Amino acid sequence: MMWDWSFTLEILPVLARAAVITIEATLLGFALAASLGLVLAVLRIAVPWTGTAISVLVELVRSTPLLIQIFFLFFVFPKFGVVLDAFTAGVLAIGVHYAAYCSEVYRAGFENVPRGQWEASIALNLSQWTTFRDIIIPQVIPPIVPALGNYLVALFKETPLLSAIAVLELMQTAKIIGSETFRYTEPITLVGLFFLAMSLVSAAFIRAFERLLIRRTMR
């Protein structure tokens, strides 16, 4: 049979459990990417002498494949005494990789803030921390939410790379099921449907969050 519904229902709970690991890796990786990206962008602006080093780091991370970075953290770091389990290494690699992209999004957002906002903060004798926290960042975030959302969806679709270091996420689980049963049509199709459904849900959440921020800004 081309498609076996009984087999599909049998493997569905297994893939659902694997989907939880995929979602965890996505959310943790994106949280790291969004926060670290913001830190890198702020440092480039607030601490000028770090600008060159951060620019080189960002270009290095963006210009090398994510899979190489995953392998580097998992296989090379132990040579220096840093041993990470597969899930931690994968999440860290994905987070750092996308932090480089997110930092450029934040940087573009900072550059779009009118110069008068910075000058007014200086005139009011506000500290740099207060300026960023209360004046600049609230203006930067709403316009860049769609771009960050795109990276969230892209990061989610990169999680199958974690199967290269034996993280039992969706793709790895589907491959194991296929190798044990010699049926790949059902598990691979279900994985594709899982990714489609979760990508659509993520996109809808991002649009809702963007509308919420816009309403709050208009108030």
Side-chain angles (χ1 to χ4, degrees):
M1 290 185 295
M2 189 67 180
W3 186 273
D4 187 340
W5 282 107
S6 63
F7 177 64
T8 301
L9 294 176
E10 180 184 343
I11 65 173
L12 194 57
V14 179
L15 291 175
R17 289 193 293 271
V20 173
I21 297 176
T22 294
I23 293 172
E24 288 177 350
T26 299
L27 295 179
L28 291 173
F30 184 73
L32 176 60
S35 55
L36 180 58
L38 178 59
V39 170
L40 292 174
V42 169
L43 285 176
R44 291 177 72 171
I45 295 173
V47 188
W49 60 268
T50 65
T52 301
I54 292 175
S55 297
V56 171
L57 175 63
V58 167
E59 290 305 317
L60 177 64
V61 172
R62 292 172 63 192
S63 302
T64 53
L66 175 56
L67 184 59
I68 298 299
Q69 295 167 18
I70 292 173
F71 282 160
F72 192 87
L73 289 179
F74 189 64
F75 293 112
V76 178
F77 266 35
K79 302 293 184 181
F80 300 96
V82 181
V83 180
L84 302 173
D85 63 84
F87 183 81
T88 302
V91 168
L92 185 59
I94 288 177
V96 172
H97 184 81
Y98 276 91
Y101 289 95
C102 290
S103 71
E104 291 298 292
V105 173
Y106 286 121
R107 185 171 65 86
F110 285 129
E111 291 178 351
N112 283 332
V113 175
R115 187 63 191 170
Q117 300 287 325
W118 301 90
E119 294 172 350
S121 300
I122 295 173
L124 292 171
N125 198 30
L126 298 178
S127 68
Q128 203 169 54
W129 165 248
T130 302
T131 299
F132 274 104
R133 184 192 62 192
D134 297 335
I135 298 175
I136 304 302
I137 292 180
Q139 296 180 68
V140 167
I141 298 299
I144 66 173
V145 165
L148 293 178
N150 288 338
Y151 285 130
L152 170 61
V153 175
L155 186 154
F156 170 65
K157 292 186 288 188
E158 295 275 25
T159 54
L161 291 177
L162 300 186
S163 64
I165 53 174
V167 175
L168 291 177
E169 45 72 58
L170 266 174
M171 184 57 69
Q172 179 72 358
T173 303
K175 288 192 295 184
I176 291 173
I177 292 173
S179 65
E180 291 177 347
T181 63
F182 301 101
R183 293 194 65 94
Y184 287 91
T185 302
E186 292 88 351
I188 297 300
T189 302
L190 287 176
V191 167
L193 292 175
F194 267 119
F195 274 98
L196 175 61
M198 288 189 282
S199 294
L200 292 176
V201 169
S202 298
F205 172 77
I206 292 161
R207 287 193 294 269
F209 184 61
E210 181 184 6
R211 288 193 295 269
L212 176 63
L213 288 178
I214 291 173
R215 285 199 298 269
R216 287 190 175 183
T217 302
M218 293 177 64
R219 290 176 186 174

